[in-house]
Amino acid sequence: MRETVVTREMIANPKTKYGRAKAATRHFFTQRVTGAINIVFLGLLLFVVLRLAGQDRTDMVAVLGNGFVGLPLAALLVVVTVHMRNGMRDTLEDYFHGDLYRLLMLLNTLFCILIAVAGVAALLKLVFWG
């Protein structure tokens, strides 16, 4: 499969089509929606941080083990990792191309999945098993 090299002239010409328009729109929409959700969840996160300030482990387990706190925090963690992956994708697209870009995107995706799975598993363990 041969890659098309995008030149400055192609980008400057508004009639030139390059890239996948639907993928770019989905990426733009996802980045905005996850950013908005992060802002909404910021209140919950601030509540948890302020509630746990100066508390011992028993109080932490009690607060995070509450389903009304732990489950939204697990959802927040998933949304944050999706937002993080998309943000890193923007940076990687700007500076890397070809096989190196694909490798770095794979590593970026795997890292985000690892963070999400580990964090959600820890929160679910606290919520359901204390």
Side-chain angles (χ1 to χ4, degrees):
M1 184 171 179
R2 185 168 180 233
E3 267 187 52
T4 304
V5 177
V6 178
T7 63
R8 212 177 267 275
E9 291 78 29
M10 289 175 68
I11 295 172
N13 183 359
K15 294 181 181 179
T16 305
K17 301 278 187 193
Y18 64 94
R20 295 177 301 170
K22 289 183 180 179
T25 303
R26 184 179 60 242
H27 173 73
F28 177 85
F29 184 72
T30 303
Q31 193 69 353
R32 297 319 179 266
V33 169
T34 56
I37 292 171
N38 288 341
I39 291 171
V40 171
F41 272 113
L42 185 62
L44 174 66
L45 185 61
L46 287 174
F47 165 75
V48 170
V49 168
L50 292 175
R51 172 68 176 85
L52 295 176
Q55 301 297 320
D56 59 0
R57 185 182 188 287
T58 308
D59 291 332
M60 180 207 62
V61 170
V63 170
L64 294 179
N66 182 349
F68 292 111
V69 175
L71 295 178
L73 280 179
L76 173 63
L77 189 58
V78 170
V79 171
V80 166
T81 55
V82 168
H83 190 76
M84 177 175 68
R85 180 189 175 274
N86 284 341
M88 279 305 298
R89 175 183 168 194
D90 291 340
T91 303
L92 293 174
E93 283 176 348
D94 289 342
Y95 295 106
F96 301 100
H97 305 286
D99 291 335
L100 181 59
Y101 167 73
R102 283 190 282 281
L103 172 66
L104 292 174
M105 268 307 295
L106 174 68
L107 293 173
N108 178 40
T109 302
L110 291 175
F111 177 74
C112 292
I113 289 171
L114 177 72
I115 295 297
V117 168
V120 169
L123 283 167
L124 291 179
K125 181 187 177 301
L126 285 175
V127 169
F128 293 111
W129 296 284

